[in-house]
Amino acid sequence: MTHRARRKEPDTSLGSSAGARGRDAIPGRGAFLEFLGLTLATGAFVLFVVRPEVFEALVHTLVTGTPGLVP
């Protein structure tokens, strides 16, 4: 998992502030989102390996629907 280093500043709270960019408003939320993304990516990979016809059907659907989007 990815851990972000934070500078220790005296007299500051751990909550979000208006001027603090790049900090998570909720501690630990980034780790949850990373776990969720890895879970979805792993599930898609397993689906692609176990059931390749699902991937082929998805590609076919995208290919047949794309010409309708072009003016």
Side-chain angles (χ1 to χ4, degrees), residues 31-69:
F32 173 73
L33 292 176
E34 183 178 2
F35 173 74
L36 183 63
L38 287 173
T39 303
L40 290 173
T42 303
F45 178 74
V46 168
L47 185 63
F48 173 71
V49 170
V50 174
R51 306 282 301 238
E53 63 271 8
V54 173
F55 180 72
E56 293 171 3
L58 177 65
V59 170
H60 178 71
T61 303
L62 289 174
V63 168
T64 57
T66 303
L69 299 175

Side-chain angles (χ1 to χ4, degrees), residues 4-49:
R4 294 184 183 160
R6 295 186 183 184
R7 290 183 284 162
K8 299 292 182 184
E9 298 175 5
D11 299 321
T12 59
S13 65
L14 292 177
S16 67
S17 62
R21 293 182 182 249
R23 292 188 179 180
D24 293 334
I26 303 172
R29 183 174 181 206
F32 173 73
L33 292 176
E34 183 178 2
F35 173 74
L36 183 63
L38 287 173
T39 303
L40 290 173
T42 303
F45 178 74
V46 168
L47 185 63
F48 173 71
V49 170

